[in-house]
Amino acid sequence: MTLSASPWWTPHVHADRRPLLLARGRIKARVAGYFAEAGFTEVECGVLQVSPGNEAHLHAFATERLYPDGRRKPLYLHTSPEFSAKKLLAAGETRIWTLGPVFRNREEGARHAAEFAMLEWYRVGESYTALMEDCARLMAAAAEAAGSQMFRHRGLACDPFAEPERLGVPEAFARFAGIDLLATIEPGGATDGAAFAAAAREAGIRLAEDDTWSDIFSRILVEKVEPNLGIGRPTILMDYPIAEAALARRKTDDPRLSERFELYGCALELANGFGELTDPAEQRRRFLAEMDEKQRVYGERYPLDEDFLAALAIMPEAAGIALGFDRLVMLATGATRITDVIWTPMAE
């Protein structure tokens, strides 16, 4: 369904969008019911943060707090409730979920919005595989709430009631790009950009001279792997290289890989989950490396949230995940643009 380019508040446009928005409400209620039945506590995380997150290619909206005495403090709109949620885990919460607005700058298009809704939840003392099971149940619940038997997007179909395929990232690179990914990663996790570039060019990937190992990884993922995921049934793309998992812990059986996965339906990424990293020293090192890369590419960096790093020292082992709620609604309703399922989308 493609809706009018007229403003969303035009009565005839709203009338066309309203069935999708009502379905959104039903899906939201079903999600809340799922977590209530599973013994989760709903929490609310503040939007203003001292750090919006420390991933190189995440871009935030900056603002400023003005104090009565004239002092000024730089702040950001959060790109995820993650830092606040993990502080709650450190405080003693064990199963929490939250659904609310997050903000991403430099993003636009049919699948992206500068302000969108993120569903995030955490399980203390449980494996990231438990989150995979949550994902399967939530996809089915969303379809039921929307009255949909099949997810559809851009001519692709995905059965939300089917058991998701669990596919390792190295296997996906071999299957869809013919590339031995692990051959470009050293036992400790260090990466070999030259070897990766040679393999990528042989697979027909066009590269820039200054592309890093991570740049090449992203190009192959987007061009060769993602278009094949979540077709027919959902895909859980799991066990990302440690170099692509700044917030996840290493796999115990292969330190080159991490406890990170992403959920796909109709070639669309829906969620990003982790076995959470709780080592503050290692997390600081990774954050600084990410900010060095951000400085190199974009000429800017974000501060670290020192309270968050301190909280990691007492945070228990946990698994956590962020799911793009609007994208889930898109698939469940057949909407083609993310703004079709947002009640009051930002005017472009």
Side-chain angles (χ1 to χ4, degrees):
M1 179 183 296
T2 301
L3 301 181
S4 170
S6 300
W8 60 262
W9 43 263
T10 306
H12 76 276
V13 174
H14 181 66
D16 287 341
R17 295 191 334 122
R18 194 166 189 271
L20 306 180
L21 298 170
L22 294 178
R24 177 193 180 98
R26 295 194 301 273
I27 296 170
K28 181 179 178 182
R30 187 67 66 90
V31 166
Y34 174 81
F35 286 115
E37 291 172 7
F40 281 72
T41 299
E42 183 178 8
V43 300
E44 298 175 358
C45 296
V47 167
L48 289 172
Q49 301 288 328
V50 297
S51 174
N54 297 105
E55 296 180 56
H57 303 294
L58 275 185
H59 304 282
F61 286 86
T63 186
E64 187 177 50
R65 181 180 179 184
L66 304 179
Y67 290 86
D69 62 5
R71 287 179 297 127
R72 297 170 177 263
K73 181 179 181 179
L75 292 172
Y76 300 86
L77 303 183
H78 68 179
T79 58
S80 162
E82 181 171 6
F83 287 4
S84 295
K86 287 182 177 177
K87 290 173 187 176
L88 288 172
L89 300 185
E93 296 294 336
T94 57
R95 283 189 177 186
I96 59 175
W97 75 282
T98 183
L99 174 61
V102 296
F103 306 86
R104 303 277 176 94
N105 225 338
R106 295 186 187 232
E107 294 190 5
E108 66 177 352
R111 300 174 171 186
H112 297 89
E115 177 183 354
F116 61 98
M118 182 173 284
L119 171 64
E120 197 156 306
W121 69 97
Y122 292 84
R123 291 176 172 270
V124 166
E126 298 185 68
S127 167
Y128 71 144
T129 58
L131 303 177
M132 299 178 192
E133 295 166 6
D134 288 331
C135 286
R137 296 189 182 104
L138 286 170
M139 292 184 82
E144 290 172 353
S148 174
Q149 295 300 312
M150 189 71 69
F151 283 176
R152 300 187 186 279
H153 185 66
R154 294 186 175 180
L156 301 175
C158 173
D159 182 353
F161 302 100
E163 184 69 22
E165 176 190 18
R166 297 189 183 187
L167 177 65
V169 172
E171 181 185 348
F173 270 60
R175 181 189 301 180
F176 301 123
I179 290 175
D180 183 352
L181 180 65
L182 293 181
T184 72
I185 308 174
E186 297 177 7
T191 55
D192 185 340
F196 205 13
R201 289 191 175 96
E202 188 173 338
I205 303 293
R206 296 183 62 182
L207 303 178
E209 288 301 319
D210 60 348
D211 275 348
T212 65
W213 188 95
S214 289
D215 294 331
I216 299 168
F217 179 91
S218 295
R219 288 181 188 273
I220 298 170
L221 183 68
V222 170
E223 295 181 25
K224 297 288 188 178
V225 177
E226 286 186 333
N228 298 286
L229 304 181
I231 312 300
R233 61 171 171 156
T235 299
I236 289 172
L237 186 66
M238 58 190 295
D239 302 343
Y240 272 67
I242 195 67
E244 295 298 311
L247 291 150
R249 58 178 173 250
R250 292 178 187 266
K251 286 181 65 67
T252 55
D253 59 348
D254 191 338
R256 295 173 296 180
L257 303 176
S258 69
E259 294 187 0
R260 176 191 173 191
F261 74 90
E262 290 191 315
L263 172 68
Y264 286 84
C266 298
L268 179 65
E269 180 208 338
L270 294 172
N272 191 13
F274 304 93
E276 301 292 353
L277 177 64
T278 56
D279 180 339
E282 174 65 11
Q283 187 64 85
R284 181 186 296 276
R285 184 193 67 77
R286 294 191 196 178
F287 277 168
L288 290 174
E290 288 284 320
M291 290 300 92
D292 287 345
E293 177 66 4
K294 189 176 192 67
Q295 183 71 51
R296 183 188 73 84
V297 177
Y298 303 106
E300 62 178 345
R301 61 195 306 129
Y302 298 141
L304 304 188
D305 183 340
E306 294 295 343
D307 277 351
F308 169 69
L309 292 170
L312 279 188
I314 62 170
M315 176 181 148
E317 288 196 0
I321 186 168
L323 183 148
F325 183 71
D326 312 279
R327 288 187 173 187
L328 180 63
V329 176
M330 285 177 67
L331 293 190
T333 61
T336 57
R337 296 188 62 83
I338 195 170
T339 50
D340 293 344
V341 297
I342 296 175
W343 277 95
T344 60
M346 182 182 297
E348 294 297 336

